[in-house]
Amino acid sequence: MEKIDRRYLVQQNKVNETDNKKAVFAKVMHAKDGKFEGVSFIKNKEKASVMTIADASAVIEWAASKKAGAHEYVTKIICKGQ
């Protein structure tokens, strides 16, 4: 039986760009007590936060409501292996 990969990243692309090389990835920021504070989007996929599907959904909600210019980006959850 094949093991399903349950590790996810959040990826953003500009609406008008289709090149995956221009994608940015979510890096989750937490307070010292572990409380979610927000997200930074970085170019380095290897340094991006790996998360569960629930955490990734929370990141997308945060980005849609807090990030300036959110309407200019397509934000999606991808499997870590992609």
Side-chain angles (χ1 to χ4, degrees):
M1 186 160 131
E2 185 178 330
K3 185 176 180 190
I4 298 171
D5 194 351
R6 289 193 164 83
R7 301 170 300 150
Y8 300 94
L9 300 172
V10 175
Q11 175 182 321
Q12 268 193 345
N13 292 81
K14 281 236 178 194
V15 172
N16 58 357
E17 294 180 16
T18 58
D19 188 9
N20 280 342
K21 293 179 184 174
K22 305 234 180 187
V24 291
F25 302 91
K27 175 114 177 128
V28 179
M29 297 176 288
H30 292 98
K32 289 182 181 179
D33 62 0
K35 184 179 175 187
F36 176 82
E37 285 192 329
V39 179
S40 291
F41 285 92
I42 59 174
K43 292 180 182 178
N44 189 336
K45 185 176 182 179
E46 303 306 317
K47 293 183 180 181
S49 297
V50 177
M51 56 198 98
T52 64
I53 196 76
D55 292 337
S57 296
V59 166
I60 288 178
E61 287 176 28
W62 182 93
S65 65
K66 302 285 185 181
K67 185 175 180 180
H71 63 281
E72 297 176 15
Y73 295 90
V74 175
T75 307
K76 61 185 175 181
I77 299 171
I78 62 169
C79 183
K80 175 134 174 59
Q82 289 180 322

